[in-house]
Amino acid sequence: MMQLNGAEILMECLKEQGVDTIFGYPGGAVINIYDALYKYQNDIRHILTSHEQGASHAADGYARATGKVGVCLATSGPGATNLVTGIATAYMDSVPMVAITGNVPLALLGKDSFQEVDITGITMPITKHNFIVKDVNDLAATIRRAFYIAQEGRPGPVLVDIPKDITAQITEYIKEKPRVVNKAVENITKEDINNALKLLKEANKPLIYVGGGVNHADANGDLVAFAETIKAPVCSSLMGLGGFPGDHKLFTGMIGMHGTKPSNLAATQCDLLIAIGARFSDRVISKMEAFAPRAKILHIDIDPAEINKNIKTHYCIIGDVKEVIKRINEKLNPMNRTEWINQIDEWKNSFPLSYKTNGALKPQAVLEKIYNITKGDAVITTEVGQNQIWAAQYYKYTKSRTFISSGGLGTMGYGLGACIGAQLAQPEKQVINIAGDGSFQMNCNELATAVKYNLPIIIVILNNGVLGMVRQWQKLFYDKRYSQTTLGRSTDIIKLAEAYGAKGYEITNEVEFENAFKEALEAKEPVVINCIIDEEDNVFPIVPPGAAIEKVITEE
């Protein structure tokens, strides 16, 4: 038992939870917390980012790369609101995160005080839960509860708002072991497993659709065994990449708006769709009534709120997807579906992912080079837009937690912060951020953070001088009315990188890229590779808005 102030109690609670790294930015309302961080610097590493949004994205990247809870810290008012985009990003992709904000002293709450906002009110729709601590005696219990909620069931972000005077008040601290977060298995019944087995036995053309829940549950190995035993092709949402090996013969690629033609045809023709840890996002299903029209749907998910939310299911199993698949696997007998697999292989041969070469540097070729040179053994983070989809399509993800991207919210400016967080989480891994020039310039200030901590990250910018994805829509669906998507900036990216203290390369062909990328891998410092690509390079396949996913447009 110890007498500690609130800030010190916060430090002790973070230590209890096994937190070794937090990302943040100081300010008046959290000055007592930063004073405690000074005292606890041998136990907890604080990463000073350039902006609070960078801190939230870094905490998110740290969490996605490890499965642990990411932690970010900001002061009151603008510091707290700068976390909002990062909190929403984590919420949409079910990322376990605890965001800690300072606030004005209790007596000044609700009086429009300097740097005061109602951050719990602001973040209510984008957190699993949030708290404002109004009694120092409740602080330790609140922090412990926040970490439990962030990890329990479907993960997500939790915010804890701590008024400044609470961090200064003294009370007793008694150390506790963290509450064990058990897997959600209480709703999985024998009847569920038997019903799933019956559906599998009756199906002639099953298709497995993998979502981000497979990665959260680290169910990659169990899923491979399941697919190989029932002889079913496997497609993936953007967030599901890495949940099933991208180089496996049963993998058909992504499904949906930017899905492969084999995946989208398989979804249209299958008689059983097995959705695992997936939420049937609009980017996957497109035209609802035309999605998997011939199929019974078996939905396996940890969150009961996802069942029948977007697509009517025929049968569901609620629980930890790793445990569900494991229990099904225990009772499975090998199945044979030669005809269906032959059909899938025929589609894969007829409609491979492809792009036209014309001597210019192609973004798809850049991704293929990165994959070949790293032998698929890197962690890839992305920004949002064309760069994100090319990274999803042309790099094969064989393991969970190797593709880190903002899926649900689609946050431009996410990738660099996430790259920093992932590199700090996995120092032995090579972490590479794939960026577009539009996204890069949103949060390029975090280059200062990468340089300060000498992180060996590589930022590959696919620079076409335009807001590529929006421009592509304008080209295909808006009669080429390019409203405000041609950036027309004269920024010298190499000078910008060098001004921050990073190394910079400008690239116009594949040979230059290969040489620069190999040098970057050896450099062991932050490197920016600015790849000049054509503004007419577009992402294919693409499903037109409102069309059935089988109506996918390929480049031809």
Side-chain angles (χ1 to χ4, degrees), residues 304-550:
E306 287 301 337
I307 307 301
N308 296 319
K309 186 176 89 176
N310 295 330
I311 285 286
K312 182 82 178 152
T313 56
H314 296 78
Y315 204 83
C316 66
I317 306 177
I318 309 293
D320 178 85
V321 296
K322 183 180 175 74
E323 189 61 30
V324 173
I325 301 166
K326 197 170 138 194
R327 292 189 192 186
I328 292 173
N329 283 349
E330 284 166 1
K331 296 195 171 187
L332 263 185
N333 293 316
M335 298 175 180
N336 188 12
R337 295 193 168 92
T338 309
E339 202 177 318
W340 178 227
I341 295 301
N342 286 345
Q343 173 65 82
I344 297 293
D345 289 341
E346 189 185 309
W347 286 333
K348 284 166 80 171
N349 290 329
S350 300
F351 308 112
L353 273 177
S354 63
Y355 56 95
K356 290 173 183 166
T357 55
N358 56 7
L361 182 63
K362 290 289 173 183
Q364 301 93 330
V366 169
L367 267 304
E368 287 175 336
K369 286 270 184 216
I370 293 170
Y371 176 73
N372 291 332
I373 294 168
T374 61
K375 299 181 172 63
D377 190 31
V379 174
I380 304 292
T381 67
T382 82
E383 300 294 346
V384 167
Q386 290 176 320
N387 63 87
Q388 175 186 40
I389 305 302
W390 284 319
Q393 292 173 332
Y394 288 93
Y395 193 101
K396 294 183 179 76
Y397 302 92
T398 57
K399 296 181 190 127
S400 290
R401 308 192 183 285
T402 54
F403 178 73
I404 295 174
S405 189
S406 169
L409 198 64
T411 307
M412 290 177 70
Y414 166 81
L416 180 50
C419 189
I420 288 167
Q423 187 69 75
L424 286 158
Q426 304 277 22
E428 74 292 349
K429 288 278 189 189
Q430 179 62 61
V431 186
I432 300 159
N433 184 41
I434 308 299
D437 47 317
S439 285
F440 173 73
Q441 294 217 33
M442 283 196 167
N443 280 335
C444 62
N445 51 356
E446 293 307 334
L447 270 178
T449 310
V451 170
K452 175 181 164 76
Y453 296 99
N454 197 33
L455 301 177
I457 62 172
I458 301 172
I459 299 122
V460 177
I461 303 172
L462 303 174
N463 189 342
N464 52 12
V466 296
L467 297 176
M469 191 60 92
V470 184
R471 185 184 189 276
Q472 174 170 339
W473 274 60
Q474 289 170 338
K475 178 181 180 176
L476 295 176
F477 312 123
Y478 288 83
D479 268 347
K480 299 186 180 178
R481 294 188 294 275
Y482 299 130
S483 178
Q484 301 303 317
T485 48
T486 301
L487 292 171
R489 291 171 179 161
S490 55
T491 309
D492 186 324
I493 300 284
I494 306 310
K495 282 182 181 172
L496 180 72
E498 289 171 349
Y500 277 115
K503 211 168 191 168
Y505 296 88
E506 185 127 323
I507 299 303
T508 57
N509 62 54
E510 281 186 43
V511 175
E512 287 177 356
F513 177 77
E514 188 167 333
N515 293 337
F517 187 71
K518 285 177 177 173
E519 282 182 32
L521 288 170
E522 296 297 319
K524 305 300 179 197
E525 63 178 301
V527 177
V528 177
I529 305 177
N530 187 35
C531 302
I532 307 303
I533 62 168
D534 195 314
E535 65 183 25
E536 294 299 330
D537 283 331
N538 287 319
V539 166
F540 291 101
I542 184 171
V543 176
I549 61 170
E550 65 178 318

Side-chain angles (χ1 to χ4, degrees), residues 258-298:
H258 296 295
T260 64
K261 195 153 186 176
S263 290
N264 288 0
L265 287 172
T268 307
Q269 300 284 335
C270 71
D271 60 6
L272 176 65
L273 185 72
I274 308 149
I276 306 176
R279 62 186 180 86
F280 292 101
S281 140
D282 56 298
R283 283 293 171 110
V284 166
I285 62 177
S286 197
K287 188 177 183 180
M288 195 181 297
E289 58 272 24
F291 183 77
R294 300 169 174 83
K296 286 182 177 173
I297 292 175
L298 168 62

Side-chain angles (χ1 to χ4, degrees), residues 47-329:
I47 302 298
L48 177 64
T49 56
S50 299
H51 188 284
E52 291 91 353
Q53 188 180 133
S56 61
H57 293 327
D60 175 307
Y62 186 95
R64 294 195 209 216
T66 59
K68 292 167 66 177
V69 179
V71 183
C72 55
L73 170 62
T75 194
S76 62
T81 57
N82 281 344
L83 293 180
V84 168
T85 299
I87 293 168
T89 301
Y91 182 74
M92 289 291 280
D93 290 343
S94 308
V95 177
M97 188 161 96
V98 171
I100 298 160
T101 53
N103 214 327
V104 299
L106 287 171
L108 296 178
L109 282 174
K111 296 184 177 177
D112 294 333
S113 305
F114 176 68
Q115 287 193 334
E116 182 201 359
V117 294
D118 175 12
I119 194 63
T120 52
I122 289 167
T123 59
M124 193 174 287
I126 53 164
T127 50
K128 275 186 83 177
H129 200 82
N130 63 27
F131 303 89
I132 179 164
V133 182
K134 293 187 174 180
D135 184 338
V136 71
N137 296 302
D138 298 332
L139 179 59
T142 304
I143 297 296
R144 289 163 185 151
R145 198 170 160 218
F147 274 84
Y148 181 80
I149 292 169
Q151 299 169 85
E152 182 263 341
R154 180 180 182 169
V158 178
L159 179 129
V160 182
D161 192 39
I162 312 173
K164 186 175 181 178
D165 48 343
I166 301 297
T167 62
Q169 290 168 11
I170 292 171
T171 191
E172 281 180 0
Y173 161 76
I174 303 168
K175 188 174 180 177
E176 283 186 19
K177 281 187 177 174
R179 187 175 160 195
V180 176
V181 181
N182 292 314
K183 284 186 175 182
V185 296
E186 61 277 4
N187 293 319
I188 309 168
T189 65
K190 280 184 182 174
E191 187 189 358
D192 285 335
I193 303 303
N194 290 334
N195 281 322
L197 291 164
K198 185 170 179 284
L199 286 171
L200 291 168
K201 207 171 174 183
E202 291 169 353
N204 293 312
K205 299 178 179 180
L207 173 67
I208 300 167
Y209 154 42
V210 177
V214 171
N215 288 318
H216 288 305
D218 293 314
N220 181 301
D222 303 271
L223 182 60
V224 170
F226 176 63
E228 289 177 348
T229 306
I230 69 166
K231 294 290 185 291
V234 181
C235 64
S236 169
S237 70
L238 184 77
M239 298 312 301
L241 290 170
F244 189 84
D247 58 357
H248 196 287
K249 61 182 184 296
L250 288 172
F251 191 60
T252 60
M254 279 202 303
I255 181 176
M257 177 178 281
H258 296 295
T260 64
K261 195 153 186 176
S263 290
N264 288 0
L265 287 172
T268 307
Q269 300 284 335
C270 71
D271 60 6
L272 176 65
L273 185 72
I274 308 149
I276 306 176
R279 62 186 180 86
F280 292 101
S281 140
D282 56 298
R283 283 293 171 110
V284 166
I285 62 177
S286 197
K287 188 177 183 180
M288 195 181 297
E289 58 272 24
F291 183 77
R294 300 169 174 83
K296 286 182 177 173
I297 292 175
L298 168 62
H299 194 177
I300 301 168
D301 203 277
I302 200 166
D303 186 359
E306 287 301 337
I307 307 301
N308 296 319
K309 186 176 89 176
N310 295 330
I311 285 286
K312 182 82 178 152
T313 56
H314 296 78
Y315 204 83
C316 66
I317 306 177
I318 309 293
D320 178 85
V321 296
K322 183 180 175 74
E323 189 61 30
V324 173
I325 301 166
K326 197 170 138 194
R327 292 189 192 186
I328 292 173
N329 283 349

